[in-house]
Amino acid sequence: MAQRTARRSGTAVARTEGKSETAARTPRAIWSGTISFGLVSIPVRLYTATESHDVHFHLLHKSDGVRLQNIRWCPKHERAVPWDEVVRGFEYAKGQYVAVTDEDLDHLPVKTVHTVDISDFVKLEEVDPIYYDKAYYLAPEETGAKAFVLLRQALEQTGRAAVAKVAIRDKESLCLVRPYEDVLTLETMLYANEIRSTKDIAVDGADVSPKEIQMAISLIENLSDSFDPQRYHDEYQAALKKLIDAKVAGAPLPAAPSERGEKIVDLMEALRASVEATKKKSSGEVDEKTPATRTRAVSSRRRKSA
């Protein structure tokens, strides 16, 4: 989002906001209702499961560095409109709108407005991650704690996830409910017709030899490890903050990276060199300054000893 904003007209400046205060606050439920499957109803609350640590930008007037204002302008009355005068509207004909209020939405004859309506239970590995949209946490109300724990443990022991629908923020979403630590996660999902076809961009006619495939498999095996999310960090955001600090202080900017991706001339030779390099690392010849590499080497030795 920060990159897209920076490319818009005008100069952009960073807005740094402390996230420690956000983390310290007690989570606030953004929705409450029930999980429904069969004849069982479990009262629950919904919480956002993720938070952004991105650097945010404002738009400035390039000539004087003054921050630009985003206003809601009414061309009929020729004045800015405050939020308390704004309503949502649907354009049913060219230039013709009908206003839709929150009270109107309460009249929707759809039970997913207040219910996570479970229709199926599926194996988690059957769901391609391309369908995932946004993650939330589900926690029980006090009166539904036992039924909530029962559902979570049953999902854990069967290796299943619940496919459901729920209406959040003016949209009914397909969702997947699955166990996560001591709660349930609700992952909103895209519908099938929202996933674009790959037909027009698929690669055809690339002849790959069995030796190249085997070499690629060897490279993958040498770099294989168990997934540890704590091992990965957003290096771009860290570098961006350092660049901003340097500009604020009037200090020289960090040196631009010297390494550039080079065009592959001989694929087989590139694969062979990569396999040899990773083989040395996986056999224990690692740089002690690289924890991720050291972890791969330890895991590799454990696999071999097993």
Side-chain angles (χ1 to χ4, degrees), residues 31 72 134 166 180 202 239 243 255 257 265:
W31 180 93
R72 295 161 296 281
K134 184 172 177 57
V166 65
Y180 180 78
L243 182 145
V265 178

Side-chain angles (χ1 to χ4, degrees), residues 30-47 110-121 136-140 148 151 155 161-168 171-178 184-189:
I30 63 170
W31 180 93
S32 62
T34 60
I35 297 177
S36 175
F37 64 104
L39 299 178
V40 179
S41 293
I42 308 171
V44 293
R45 298 184 300 272
L46 188 73
Y47 302 87
V110 181
K111 63 179 178 180
T112 54
V113 172
H114 300 291
T115 304
V116 179
D117 187 29
I118 295 175
S119 59
D120 309 286
F121 292 93
Y136 298 89
Y137 289 144
L138 282 169
F148 184 90
L151 175 59
L155 291 174
V163 179
K165 283 185 178 181
V166 65
I168 305 173
K171 179 183 178 181
E172 183 182 68
S173 297
L174 185 68
C175 60
L176 197 73
V177 178
R178 60 185 177 86
L184 291 171
T185 62
L186 183 148
E187 197 93 29
T188 55
M189 302 171 68

Side-chain angles (χ1 to χ4, degrees), residues 179-241:
Y180 180 78
E181 296 185 354
D182 54 353
V183 296
L184 291 171
T185 62
L186 183 148
E187 197 93 29
T188 55
M189 302 171 68
L190 301 172
Y191 288 99
N193 63 357
E194 295 179 291
I195 306 298
R196 291 180 172 177
S197 170
T198 62
K199 181 178 64 175
D200 295 331
I201 60 173
V203 178
D204 292 322
D207 294 326
V208 180
S209 70
K211 286 186 177 180
E212 289 171 330
I213 293 176
Q214 188 55 52
M215 195 68 71
I217 292 174
S218 297
L219 178 58
I220 290 172
E221 288 296 330
N222 287 352
L223 291 174
S224 293
D225 202 349
S226 57
F227 178 64
D228 179 7
Q230 299 298 327
R231 203 163 61 221
Y232 308 97
H233 306 281
D234 190 340
E235 296 178 6
Y236 183 92
Q237 289 297 320
L240 181 58
K241 290 174 183 176

